[in-house]
Amino acid sequence: MNKPAEPNSFRRGPDEAGMFGIFGGRFVAETLMPLILDLEQHWNAAKQDPAFRAELDHLGKHYTGRPSPLYFAERLTEHLGGAKIYFKREDLNHTGSHKINNCLGQILLARRMGKTRIIAETGAGQHGVASATVAARFGLPCVVYMGATDVERQKPNVFRMHLLGAEVKPVSAGHGTLKDAMNEALRDWVTNVEDTYYLIGTAAGPHPYPEMVRDLQSVIGTEARAQILELEGRLPDAIVAAVGGGSNAIGLFHPFLDDRQVAIHGVEAGGHGLDGVEHCASMTAGQPGVLHGNRTYLLQNEDGQILDGHSISAGLDYPGVGPEHSWLKDSGRVTYSPILDQEALEAFQLTTRIEGIIPALESAHAIAHAIKLAPTMGRDQIMIVNFSGRGDKDVHTVGKMLGMEI
Amino acid sequence: MTTRIDRRFARLKEENRPALVTYFMGGDPDYDTALSIMKALPEAGSDVIELGMPFSDPMADGPAIQAAGLRALKGGQTLSKTLQMARDFRTGDDDTPIVMMGYYNPIYIYGVERFLRDAKEAGIDGLIIVDLPPEMDSELCVPALRAGINFIRLATPTTDEKRLPTVLTNTSGFVYYVSMTGVTGSALPDTSKVAGAVARIKAHTDLPVCVGFGVKTARQAKAIGEAADGVVVGTAIVAAIAQCYDAKGEKVADPAEAVATLVRGLADGVREARLAVA
């Protein structure tokens, strides 16, 4: 593919049709089209409304616990002997991951729109928990669609959702992972158009979701940028985040996109390796296609049928990616690389042992890439890694991988 | 431009009866069986054939059509083979309109221009692409119209007065009114509401309006046929095919015969209905 001419700014997308170059768009059934247009209108009004902003900021501070710290990972830095590594501690947010940032914004929007029922899809269960949490906080019923495989491997989160009063509906179609959960959530939405708000958890789906989720998650990068300027007096040399659908990554990246001196690294799930089909590296190994309302890089066969993919991390187990990432890849602004299950597992253990912080397996992918990058950089250089979530939910998976019974 | 679809609806108007539009999944459960089903449809009373293109992620379909698509993919169906099925059908029938129905990605990957050229050559008359609303018309709709293939749009209960003209622009062949919000195969709504909705659409267009989603019996087909220019039946046909196989996938009845029997009954229902006054 020809590389498009470099734009004046990487932060202006999407256009009015919801396109980031050839990516994004509104590929949905007619039944949903009026809902999506209505959502866009309400979102445009809300984001310009100081009262909306104020309520969101208040909840962010007092409910989520923002700003999240920018933590200098001193021992990891020493261990690797290269660039100074900072963790943006989204794991310390209420509910244990970055997902709450998006959910609070969207539930306030759902209330503005007069919607009375929340649906969501979830992979690892982090978004499901965050959705169930905000639904409980605002007294709205919530149904979470979750692949049957994921229900099995993320039991603690399933139980948390039950405790929060949400109904978890296992989806057994396909491999029973995030893709299938999203199909089922869309089927629910197409059926319950009057009262239901679909709280999408990642920066993907039909316009305006990719833009809206990005804007709500950009608090991560905005804070990190101000924090590093305060701590180090300069911008970082590199920033790193894991990409499944890509909401934590776009949230960190977006405020830095026009700082050309900052190298930006997205980390995809390399699973068992890119030679076979047991991975979720849609940008490294896929091609552009149309799924779940947007055009983006997808894992698919030569007939345009979507593949299931594989990752040790349920949160990265998705054959697509948010459309803005696809555009950032083709524009060359962001470098996307795969990390294998085994490498993520090693990063998980190392971080736990020497920093005393258990990362989510999603975040462990980002850390694994930082472990590769840091030694290639000078000791005077700085890197920020998005520590997107805490790993308590993954201890069963990791235990199984290490041959231990818990 | 007139297509087999335009000619068929013109003829039915002269006969003063609504059309029976039948959907089945190309390649379900295998190529040869699906082709035998397709060939049986016109004689059983189908006026327009909707040829389903299987997709791995059918977001707007209910369980029956989801399962049919998976069976077809498991049986080795591809978009190339679905086009071949139309070609094979055309060797014995050059009159019955064929509308391909499905999702955009397989066409996008096949290549839009190549697909339209091959579809036209295979005798395809129209397309229904679930995930291409008017906002995405430049993708396939406009090129299809240029290639002489009808682009049939879905209108739904959420398509209000303000939006109807947008939906009807660039629509040709007929308008497919989805009589309810929901996935395919859901329960049939109040037929009196359908009449009102059809009238609402007809105030904006001269195109025939066909109504689908949830029609399973001859009686329902008759009721809908009294209000619309055509009745679409899909899930009931797909379910009839599924019932020809036991839990192990062994054939226990002939799918083409089972579908023909069902369609004959539906056609009787449709023929009892008088064409709604436009």
Side-chain angles (χ1 to χ4, degrees):
Chain A
M1 189 171 290
N2 287 332
K3 192 174 155 182
E6 190 158 297
N8 293 325
S9 169
F10 288 97
R11 304 185 63 201
R12 298 225 177 102
D15 67 16
E16 277 182 12
M19 305 297 289
F20 300 90
I22 67 160
F23 300 105
R26 291 180 281 219
F27 296 89
V28 296
E30 172 59 26
T31 310
L32 293 181
M33 204 54 222
L35 279 72
I36 283 166
L37 293 172
D38 188 43
L39 177 65
E40 183 184 359
Q41 212 171 28
H42 278 89
W43 168 242
N44 284 336
K47 69 182 177 188
Q48 282 161 23
D49 178 355
F52 177 83
R53 190 75 250 169
E55 190 174 8
L56 187 58
D57 287 348
H58 183 86
L59 285 164
K61 183 175 177 191
H62 299 282
Y63 193 66
T64 307
R66 303 211 70 88
S68 68
L70 187 68
Y71 164 78
F72 175 41
E74 194 176 349
R75 292 197 67 219
L76 184 63
T77 298
E78 274 171 28
H79 178 82
L80 297 171
K84 285 180 83 170
I85 297 173
Y86 283 88
F87 289 155
K88 179 60 175 164
R89 297 289 307 275
E90 292 297 302
D91 60 313
L92 293 177
N93 292 341
H94 177 44
T95 76
S97 82
H98 68 289
K99 293 293 187 188
I100 190 80
N101 303 329
N102 170 45
C103 286
L104 280 172
Q106 286 201 54
I107 199 130
L108 292 183
L109 189 62
R111 277 160 53 92
R112 277 175 79 105
M113 294 176 74
K115 301 293 182 183
T116 54
R117 175 177 178 265
I118 302 296
I119 59 171
E121 84 295 333
T122 197
Q126 295 300 85
H127 175 59
V129 167
S131 298
T133 298
V134 297
R137 168 65 181 77
F138 288 97
L140 295 176
C142 178
V143 174
V144 179
Y145 290 93
M146 188 168 186
T149 306
D150 291 339
V151 168
E152 197 49 43
R153 61 179 166 175
Q154 303 287 342
K155 278 182 187 157
N157 271 344
V158 174
F159 186 59
R160 286 165 84 193
M161 287 184 264
H162 284 312
L163 287 173
L164 289 159
E167 183 188 351
V168 179
K169 289 196 176 174
V171 180
S172 54
H175 276 196
T177 58
L178 183 53
K179 164 177 94 92
D180 312 297
M182 199 150 180
N183 287 333
E184 210 55 38
L186 283 163
R187 290 184 189 117
D188 181 314
W189 202 24
V190 96
T191 307
N192 301 294
V193 295
E194 292 298 329
D195 62 344
T196 296
Y197 183 92
Y198 181 16
L199 209 174
I200 294 185
T202 193
H207 179 64
Y209 282 102
E211 175 197 311
M212 176 167 67
V213 176
R214 175 200 72 198
D215 288 352
L216 292 168
Q217 291 293 3
S218 287
V219 66
I220 301 171
T222 303
E223 282 178 10
R225 198 173 180 282
Q227 287 166 321
I228 200 74
L229 286 173
E230 194 188 319
L231 288 166
E232 295 278 357
R234 68 178 186 87
L235 291 172
D237 298 284
I239 59 176
V240 184
V243 180
S247 71
N248 88 80
I250 202 70
L252 175 67
F253 296 169
H254 198 256
F256 289 98
L257 287 176
D258 286 340
D259 299 319
R260 308 293 169 104
Q261 69 272 39
V262 180
I264 306 183
H265 298 272
V267 183
E268 296 195 279
H272 299 322
L274 267 51
D275 296 338
V277 294
E278 298 282 288
H279 63 80
C280 282
S282 48
M283 282 184 292
T284 315
Q287 60 170 318
V290 174
L291 179 71
H292 293 154
N294 57 179
R295 176 160 37 223
T296 192
Y297 277 92
L298 297 171
L299 298 179
Q300 51 188 322
N301 69 15
E302 64 289 345
D303 188 43
Q305 307 298 337
I306 311 303
L307 304 176
D308 283 290
H310 157 83
S311 171
I312 185 181
S313 147
L316 302 181
D317 207 341
Y318 181 67
V321 64
E324 193 165 9
H325 285 293
S326 293
W327 178 74
L328 288 168
K329 172 198 157 69
D330 279 6
S331 71
R333 178 66 187 97
V334 178
T335 308
Y336 295 89
S337 322
I339 280 291
L340 304 180
D341 282 355
Q342 187 56 35
E343 294 171 315
L345 193 62
E346 285 162 16
F348 176 97
Q349 292 170 278
L350 181 67
T351 308
T352 303
R353 287 277 177 84
I354 70 174
E355 289 292 347
I357 312 173
I358 302 176
L361 279 170
E362 294 77 32
S363 317
H365 280 72
I367 298 166
H369 194 64
I371 289 171
K372 287 183 179 176
L373 278 182
T376 71
M377 297 167 68
R379 284 172 180 273
D380 57 340
Q381 292 190 291
I382 300 165
M383 182 183 345
I384 297 176
V385 179
N386 202 1
F387 207 108
S388 56
R390 54 190 289 166
D392 307 50
K393 69 181 174 63
D394 292 315
V395 294
H396 280 85
T397 305
V398 170
K400 207 179 272 177
M401 292 276 293
L402 297 176
M404 289 184 264
E405 279 296 321
I406 298 177
Chain B
M1 162 185 104
T2 70
T3 65
R4 290 185 191 87
I5 299 173
D6 302 327
R7 293 195 290 274
R8 177 59 52 104
F9 277 100
R11 204 189 82 199
L12 293 176
K13 193 165 188 175
E14 282 170 18
E15 291 178 17
N16 193 31
R17 69 169 179 88
L20 176 62
V21 181
T22 53
Y23 171 95
F24 78 110
M25 180 64 81
D28 171 29
D30 59 67
Y31 185 91
D32 292 337
T33 306
L35 181 60
S36 72
I37 292 164
M38 189 176 187
K39 284 179 172 169
L41 287 171
E43 204 181 320
S46 167
D47 298 301
V48 176
I49 294 175
E50 286 182 6
L51 171 57
M53 300 179 273
F55 182 48
S56 53
D57 294 81
M59 299 165 303
D61 283 303
I65 293 181
Q66 286 177 45
L70 290 179
R71 285 194 299 269
L73 291 174
K74 217 174 162 189
Q77 192 71 4
T78 61
L79 184 51
S80 293
K81 287 187 181 173
T82 308
L83 289 166
Q84 185 57 41
M85 193 167 285
R87 270 183 220 110
D88 288 348
F89 175 85
R90 280 275 173 254
T91 59
D93 184 330
D94 198 33
D95 292 324
T96 306
I98 306 174
V99 175
M100 289 180 91
M101 181 166 181
Y103 296 80
Y104 183 41
N105 196 53
I107 294 173
Y108 179 69
I109 294 304
Y110 192 94
V112 166
E113 291 305 325
R114 175 178 165 232
F115 170 76
L116 291 172
R117 194 182 60 232
D118 291 356
K120 186 75 188 167
E121 169 265 322
I124 299 300
D125 305 289
L127 299 173
I128 301 175
I129 307 300
V130 179
D131 53 353
L132 284 179
E135 281 72 8
M136 309 311 293
D137 267 358
S138 62
E139 295 282 335
L140 180 64
C141 172
V142 172
L145 295 176
R146 214 182 290 134
I149 293 178
N150 287 142
F151 202 83
I152 293 136
R153 195 94 66 192
L154 304 173
T156 76
T158 61
T159 314
D160 60 17
E161 284 300 304
K162 201 173 117 237
R163 187 161 169 81
L164 253 180
T166 308
V167 168
L168 294 171
T169 306
N170 291 337
T171 299
S172 62
F174 60 92
V175 179
Y176 184 163
Y177 179 66
V178 175
S179 53
M180 56 177 306
T181 61
V183 294
T184 49
S186 314
L188 187 75
D190 184 350
T191 47
S192 65
K193 279 190 188 156
V194 171
V198 171
R200 188 165 68 86
I201 295 168
K202 282 189 161 288
H204 290 271
T205 181
D206 294 331
L207 289 170
V209 178
C210 298
V211 177
F213 272 48
V215 180
K216 289 188 174 67
T217 66
R219 204 166 55 85
Q220 292 168 333
K222 177 171 179 277
I224 295 283
E226 277 163 1
D229 301 312
V231 181
V232 187
V233 183
T235 295
I237 292 171
V238 165
I241 295 167
Q243 278 163 13
C244 294
Y245 296 84
D246 66 16
K248 288 181 203 140
E250 297 293 323
K251 189 152 84 177
V252 293
D254 179 40
E257 189 42 48
V259 169
T261 303
L262 173 68
V263 170
R264 272 193 291 271
L266 293 164
D268 287 345
V270 164
R271 279 171 171 75
E272 281 175 34
R274 305 207 66 110
L275 184 62
V277 181

